[in-house]
Amino acid sequence: MAKNPKDHAVVLVVDKLTKSQAGELVGEFAKAKNKVAPNARTTGGMTTRTNIGKILQDGVKKLTDMSDK
């Protein structure tokens, strides 16, 4: 087994934001991800509160369907 297996993920939902605030947070998260874990796979999106479940389902499907190669 690898000493530090890459078997962790981060899921973050923040609501009650304006479209501008949501966009700014997405950008800041992307910058932080690239600094901390530049080779990590990512998926994400910005949506209205009523579509949070769809975004999460789509993200899980996308990441679990990706090859680890």
Side-chain angles (χ1 to χ4, degrees):
M1 179 190 278
K3 184 175 181 180
N4 292 309
K6 293 183 179 183
D7 61 355
H8 288 71
V10 173
V11 177
L12 177 68
V13 175
V14 181
D15 75 345
K16 296 196 177 193
L17 301 169
T18 66
K19 186 174 183 177
S20 175
Q21 289 170 326
E24 188 171 336
L25 283 173
V26 168
E28 291 299 321
F29 189 83
K31 284 190 245 178
K33 188 277 268 188
N34 288 335
K35 180 179 177 183
V36 174
N39 295 322
R41 300 180 305 180
T42 61
T43 186
M46 192 172 84
T47 188
T48 59
R49 293 174 74 196
T50 57
N51 291 321
I52 291 171
K54 181 180 181 341
I55 292 291
L56 290 172
Q57 288 174 339
D58 291 349
V60 168
K61 182 173 179 11
K62 181 179 176 184
L63 288 178
T64 56
D65 286 350
M66 284 182 172
S67 171
D68 282 333
K69 295 178 182 177

